[in-house]
Amino acid sequence: PIVTGLKDTAQSAVVSYKDIQDSRSSEDSALRKLVEQSDKFSLRLMAAAPGNTVVSLSLFSPVKGVVVAKFNAATGHYGVDIATSKNEAVKAAREGSIIFAGWSVEAGYVIIIQHSVNQLTVYKHNSALLKKQGDVVKAGDPVAIVGNSGDYTSGPHLHFELWNNGAPIDPEQYIQF
């Protein structure tokens, strides 16, 4: 800016804005073009598009056992059934908040945990719930006890589901039971 009216004591200054020109130099334009070109192929964390199965790999096994029914989205079986000892503790697969802890006729006692990055884990057929809605849990915290509750069960097991951005994901791709 051009300063006009400067007094000898420098106590006051008047700035004239009419003479300010906002233009880019050729060097500035060249630098902008170079940055745009070099950034074109850099890796970035991108939001998961529909069908994209970006899932955190830091998942804790909720129980140890044998998978007796595999994930099959085509048949509506959105999780895995893990046969394990009756009364074994069911543990949170990741840290998160309990968004549902209650009873369903089909699934018995159910816990649903909301995790960061748009992930949910679902734990069905429990004999008892150890947490309530609103509780915050860490990975590995006991949240329920394995059971045989609900109409859709035929013995003590855990039905475990993993959801990412509203889509069911095969838990066996990320957890070894």
Side-chain angles (χ1 to χ4, degrees), residues 131-160:
K131 301 292 182 182
K132 63 185 184 313
Q133 185 173 337
D135 286 349
V136 175
V137 296
K138 295 179 184 175
D141 282 354
V143 296
I145 303 295
V146 169
N148 188 27
S149 64
D151 289 348
Y152 293 173
T153 184
S154 59
H157 76 285
L158 172 67
H159 174 87
F160 175 75

Side-chain angles (χ1 to χ4, degrees), residues 77-101:
H77 193 252
Y78 298 120
V80 293
D81 291 342
I82 307 143
T84 189
S85 303
K86 187 175 183 179
N87 296 327
E88 181 175 336
V90 175
K91 299 166 194 88
R94 289 190 66 197
E95 66 180 29
S97 299
I98 308 292
I99 61 169
F100 179 81

Side-chain angles (χ1 to χ4, degrees), residues 92 96-102 104 107 109-115 119-124 126 129 131-135 137 143-144 161 163:
S97 299
I98 308 292
I99 61 169
F100 179 81
S104 154
Y109 288 105
V110 177
I111 288 268
I112 302 175
I113 303 175
Q114 172 71 58
H115 308 284
Q119 289 180 351
L120 287 174
T121 51
V122 181
Y123 311 77
K124 296 180 177 180
N126 302 291
L129 304 178
K131 301 292 182 182
K132 63 185 184 313
Q133 185 173 337
D135 286 349
V137 296
V143 296
E161 297 178 9
W163 292 72

Side-chain angles (χ1 to χ4, degrees), residues 30-51:
L31 178 61
R32 288 176 187 271
K33 187 171 184 174
L34 178 68
V35 169
E36 289 171 359
Q37 292 288 326
S38 65
D39 197 34
K40 195 181 269 185
F41 300 105
S42 65
L43 297 176
R44 298 182 187 148
L45 180 61
M46 302 169 87

Side-chain angles (χ1 to χ4, degrees), residues 50-61:
N52 190 352
T53 57
V54 178
V55 176
S56 169
L57 297 180
S58 58
L59 296 170
F60 190 89
S61 179

